[in-house]
Amino acid sequence: MTQLNIGIMGASGRMGRMLIQATLDNPNTALKGAFVRSISSLIGADSGEFIGVAKTGVPLATLDLTGVDVLIDFSLPEALDEVLDACVANKVPLVMGVTGLSAEQEAKLTDASQYIAIVYAGNYSTGVNLSLNLLATTARVLGLDADVEIIEHHHKHKIDAPSGTALMMAKAVADARDQHLPNALVYGRHGAAKREKGDIGMHAIRGGEIIGEHTVEFIMDGEIIAITHKAQSRATFATGAVRAAQWVAAQPAGLYNMKDVLGLN
């Protein structure tokens, strides 16, 4: 089997390093590019040595999709225009893992999907995406009889809140109950604010080095159903993103999610 040449945008970040490792560990993928910002002092460093493994011969560099079959982007929202322009110009499929995109940026992603295949997910964990199916089933059965609260924990370095995963979970619940986001969302609570029927509470906790924990509580009179996912290693996200890259390489232009990759839709 011919190896899939993968490029990684945001290679010097926490997830970038895990993606390099996951790409190197997969026998069906090869690391073709490891990309960082043009102002990075790490440009020129070998990507393998950077993550503490054997030399790969692939240096950290600015974005260049020559020879890249699929690009995985876990950088920052500010890089979106550059990434989309390069992928569309070179007809390179994209696995987008950047969270915190604005509505305008998500619209640009949708526009680009007319020309290339894009997987866009707030979380690439297999467990999280299975949890979304459980949440939809539970919400559909209980309807508005259950009060729903979402609590997410992440490390103190995370910039966006709520997390992309928490928003995916809220959407799974809302869609199953025929509600519309963001109308149903209530972010935290302060002061005198009565809970309204159908509210979906959202609470973001930041501290320490928590990788990612999400709990959705369905609270009823007399019982509570809690569905929880805890990530114990970022490797699960990286492995899922590489799996998505292998899948999207064979897809026609369009906008997909991780449930498409896993065959859960």
Side-chain angles (χ1 to χ4, degrees), residues 81-196:
D81 286 346
E82 179 186 9
V83 167
L84 291 181
D85 288 347
C87 286
V88 171
N90 291 276
K91 294 182 172 53
V92 172
L94 172 65
V95 174
M96 172 55 64
V98 177
T99 58
L101 297 181
S102 67
E104 180 183 359
Q105 288 176 313
E106 290 190 339
K108 289 181 178 180
L109 206 62
T110 300
D111 289 342
S113 71
Q114 298 177 62
Y115 308 99
I116 58 172
I118 299 174
V119 176
Y120 175 41
N123 193 300
Y124 283 87
S125 156
T126 298
V128 161
N129 285 278
L130 287 170
S131 296
L132 295 176
N133 273 22
L134 293 174
L135 290 170
T137 299
T138 306
R140 193 174 299 113
V141 171
L142 300 179
L144 297 178
D145 291 334
D147 296 326
V148 177
E149 297 287 313
I150 301 173
I151 307 99
E152 54 108 338
H153 298 69
H154 280 89
H155 53 84
K156 60 188 175 186
H157 313 287
K158 187 170 179 61
I159 297 173
D160 57 308
S163 70
T165 303
L167 290 172
M168 288 169 65
M169 290 179 165
K171 188 175 188 306
V173 171
D175 287 351
R177 304 200 304 185
D178 293 323
Q179 294 177 285
H180 298 286
L181 297 182
N183 297 347
L185 284 175
V186 176
Y187 294 96
R189 289 189 175 80
H190 178 73
K194 181 183 177 182
R195 186 183 220 289
E196 300 294 335

Side-chain angles (χ1 to χ4, degrees), residues 6 15 18-23 25-26 29 72 74 95 124-126 233-247 258 261-262:
I6 290 180
M15 272 303 301
M18 297 300 298
L19 286 163
I20 291 173
Q21 186 68 65
T23 301
D25 288 344
N26 191 315
T29 59
I72 303 176
F74 273 77
V95 174
Y124 283 87
S125 156
T126 298
S233 169
R234 288 184 181 84
T236 187
F237 308 133
T239 300
V242 172
R243 178 175 182 171
Q246 293 175 271
W247 182 86
M258 195 59 183
V261 175
L262 297 173

Side-chain angles (χ1 to χ4, degrees), residues 36-64:
V36 295
R37 292 184 295 174
S38 59
I39 61 172
S40 175
S41 61
L42 295 169
I43 290 177
D46 184 85
S47 56
E49 292 180 334
F50 173 68
I51 67 169
V53 299
K55 200 168 185 175
T56 63
V58 179
L60 298 181
T62 55
L63 187 59
D64 178 0

Side-chain angles (χ1 to χ4, degrees), residues 170-242:
K171 188 175 188 306
V173 171
D175 287 351
R177 304 200 304 185
D178 293 323
Q179 294 177 285
H180 298 286
L181 297 182
N183 297 347
L185 284 175
V186 176
Y187 294 96
R189 289 189 175 80
H190 178 73
K194 181 183 177 182
R195 186 183 220 289
E196 300 294 335
K197 191 177 184 69
D199 283 351
I200 299 175
M202 180 72 76
H203 312 276
I205 297 170
R206 299 289 178 267
E209 298 298 331
I210 302 170
I211 293 173
E213 298 181 5
H214 298 82
T215 296
V216 181
E217 295 185 352
F218 295 85
I219 306 169
M220 297 161 286
D221 295 340
E223 61 182 338
I224 298 173
I225 298 173
I227 297 174
T228 298
H229 179 271
K230 296 183 179 182
Q232 297 180 319
S233 169
R234 288 184 181 84
T236 187
F237 308 133
T239 300
V242 172

